[in-house]
Amino acid sequence: MPRYRSFLALVLAFLTAFLVSCGTPEVKKPPTYTPAQIELIGQNVSAIKALRDRLPELAKLVQDENWVFVRNFIRGPLGELRGRISGIERNLLPDARPKAREAAKELYESLVSIDQAAQKRDYKAAIGNYAAIQKNLNAFLDLAPKA
């Protein structure tokens, strides 16, 4: 009788292991945006697009070599750009965040470079970084989900 119990216990253990291994695994859904995230991202994208539409004003100030107003424009109207970009970046899916972070970093560096060029009254550096701002801003906006 004791051999029968140990043999039965061994068979039950194998049967349990077999049944557990044949079970269906939990299927994970790919991460998606919630409606609240889409709404928040949409608000920030529209605000950034409005700021992007004002970039020609910055180009005009640089062309006129109006350095005081160039620096004021970067700190004034474009000052909220960082907050808006952070609002989008926080709500992106994890796989899109590194690309967005890199585009945002390059955008910030271009803004700082224009500010420094305005301080030094360097037209070439300012206008070159203006083109980089447009490119990086568009690259960042391309990463945002479409509503």
Side-chain angles (χ1 to χ4, degrees), residues 57-76:
E57 293 177 42
L58 179 61
K60 174 86 169 100
L61 292 171
V62 170
Q63 286 176 348
D64 293 344
E65 296 186 19
N66 194 342
W67 304 118
V68 172
F69 285 108
V70 167
R71 296 184 78 197
N72 288 343
F73 191 82
I74 289 172
R75 287 173 174 76

Side-chain angles (χ1 to χ4, degrees), residues 43-111:
Q43 290 171 354
N44 285 320
V45 164
S46 63
I48 290 173
K49 285 181 179 178
L51 292 172
R52 182 182 62 184
D53 294 341
R54 293 195 64 188
L55 282 179
E57 293 177 42
L58 179 61
K60 174 86 169 100
L61 292 171
V62 170
Q63 286 176 348
D64 293 344
E65 296 186 19
N66 194 342
W67 304 118
V68 172
F69 285 108
V70 167
R71 296 184 78 197
N72 288 343
F73 191 82
I74 289 172
R75 287 173 174 76
L78 295 182
E80 74 176 272
L81 193 60
R82 186 179 291 259
R84 296 291 183 170
I85 286 176
S86 295
I88 292 173
E89 195 178 312
R90 272 192 304 270
N91 289 295
L92 289 176
L93 295 178
D95 60 333
R97 285 184 190 153
K99 292 178 188 174
R101 208 169 282 130
E102 184 62 31
K105 180 182 173 192
E106 291 174 9
L107 175 67
Y108 301 149
E109 288 172 357
S110 297
L111 283 169

Side-chain angles (χ1 to χ4, degrees), residues 28-43:
K28 288 187 175 181
K29 294 181 182 178
T32 57
Y33 293 104
T34 65
Q37 285 177 313
I38 292 288
E39 182 182 344
L40 187 63
I41 290 171
Q43 290 171 354

Side-chain angles (χ1 to χ4, degrees), residues 14-25:
F14 280 122
L15 183 64
T16 303
F18 177 75
L19 290 176
V20 168
S21 69
C22 291
T24 57

